[in-house]
Amino acid sequence: MTELVVALLMIINGEIKEARIQQSMSDCLKGKRVAKRESKSHIKYQCIKSMAELETNIDGSLSIKKLI
């Protein structure tokens, strides 16, 4: 399924390593601040609003399969 989502990206060496769905842009920015405080030096965090291909996990939650 394809949907417009707000995602928090973890970028290492210019490559997206992880993308997490967030409820809103404000929640994303809050998560970015927390992650940045606790992270190591070469990790960058970014919030984006983008179309994404989603998949359903075993527990029924949604996760990002691919950003479009």
Side-chain angles (χ1 to χ4, degrees):
M1 113 176 57
T2 304
E3 211 173 290
L4 181 65
V5 296
V6 175
L8 176 58
L9 307 179
M10 180 174 67
I11 303 168
I12 301 173
N13 296 329
E15 185 179 335
I16 298 172
K17 294 293 183 179
E18 188 173 340
R20 294 280 178 126
I21 298 173
Q22 302 296 307
Q23 294 296 318
S24 65
M25 188 59 80
S26 62
D27 287 341
C28 186
L29 293 170
K30 180 180 177 183
K32 178 182 171 183
R33 283 193 303 273
V34 171
K36 195 171 182 180
R37 268 188 244 133
E38 298 173 357
S39 74
K40 306 295 180 205
S41 59
H42 298 296
I43 301 173
K44 180 182 172 188
Y45 295 94
Q46 183 177 355
C47 292
I48 64 165
K49 189 179 280 191
S50 174
M51 292 300 289
E53 192 174 308
L54 304 177
E55 62 184 355
T56 306
N57 297 324
I58 294 172
D59 64 357
S61 64
L62 294 174
S63 64
I64 297 173
K65 185 176 183 182
K66 180 172 73 171
L67 292 171
I68 301 172

